Amino acid sequence: MSLFEQGGLLMWPLLALSVATLAILIDRAIAFSTLRLADAATEAALIAAARAGDHDAARRRAAAVPVITPLVNALFEAETTEDKERAAAIAIE
């Protein structure tokens, strides 16, 4: 008798959940492997532009990396630190 048969009826839900977990793992691996992040030079230029107060240049740099564009836009549109924190939290969700 195999281990699967010895497990009884509980083995079927476990098998189904294992297959679902594997499908989610493969999906996330594909999603994260195709995600384009900023390289070090773009990141440094973005930070330098933001520190210099040149919001237009920072937004142009962020446009090259679609992942961070909503975050950068949210940070530059907010006035106070609390508003920036709230806008950043919403943008990264």
Side-chain angles (χ1 to χ4, degrees):
M1 196 179 239
S2 72
L3 289 176
F4 194 83
E5 291 171 350
Q6 288 176 351
L9 289 177
L10 227 71
M11 294 303 282
W12 290 105
L14 286 175
L15 178 64
L17 289 173
S18 297
V19 170
T21 301
L22 185 61
I24 292 169
L25 181 74
I26 291 170
D27 175 62
R28 293 294 83 205
I30 291 170
F32 285 126
S33 68
T34 59
L35 187 66
R36 206 179 95 196
L37 300 175
D39 60 347
T42 304
E43 186 179 325
L46 174 63
I47 291 171
R51 285 186 178 157
D54 190 0
H55 294 206
D56 291 332
R59 286 182 179 173
R60 281 193 305 274
R61 293 286 182 174
V65 185
V67 174
I68 61 172
T69 302
L71 176 63
V72 171
N73 289 336
L75 290 175
F76 290 148
E77 290 171 2
E79 297 291 325
T80 65
T81 303
E82 288 179 1
D83 290 342
K84 288 182 182 186
E85 289 176 0
R86 192 175 305 114
I90 292 169
I92 61 174
E93 287 182 352

